[in-house]
Amino acid sequence: MSGHEDPRAYFEIDKVTAGTYDASGASIVHMDEYPKYEIAEGVIFCPVFANNLSLNFVTFPANSGFPPHTHTEEQVSIVREGEIEITIGDVTKMAKPGDVIIFPPNVSHSGRTFDRLCRVIDIFSPPRYGMRELIATANPVRSADADRWWRAEE
């Protein structure tokens, strides 16, 4: 695995007990059963790790975002709800639901929301191992019912 930790170590933070599993590593789990972490004021991460990729269901509240940064993993993001202004290198564009964004490895990128929240699905290959440190310092208190993506509000 190119010198990185075993990705199964990520599940030591909060184990997912719901769903169906088999010995091959296959699973079927409703996404709302994965733990959620508040990594900044109102910014919710819901990471899922597999052997060769990871994904993250992210909710950015209104008037928030993420600072310029780079990482070695290739990233593809899909905007599911709301809008987010994305800058990749020298390109800036407002992304809206249905837009697919490709972040090449080692290219600086940032994003910000305006007057409404934005939900994005991030996919990383190889898995984004650096996310573990961020999750380890996150607020897990909001994990239970903080941000359900697919279930109707009760």
Side-chain angles (χ1 to χ4, degrees), residues 26-46:
S27 66
I28 302 172
V29 178
H30 193 281
M31 68 150 301
D32 282 335
E33 298 299 332
Y34 282 95
K36 294 172 182 63
Y37 304 92
E38 185 177 38
I39 58 121
E41 181 74 30
V43 178
I44 307 294
F45 275 19
C46 178

Side-chain angles (χ1 to χ4, degrees), residues 114-128:
F114 294 93
D115 60 349
R116 46 189 283 223
L117 72 74
C118 183
R119 289 191 168 104
V120 177
I121 302 169
D122 290 336
I123 302 142
F124 299 94
S125 180
R128 186 149 183 223

Side-chain angles (χ1 to χ4, degrees), residues 10 13 30 33 40 57 104 108 121 124 130 134 136 152:
Y10 282 95
I13 295 170
H30 193 281
E33 298 299 332
F57 299 94
S108 181
I121 302 169
F124 299 94
L134 190 58

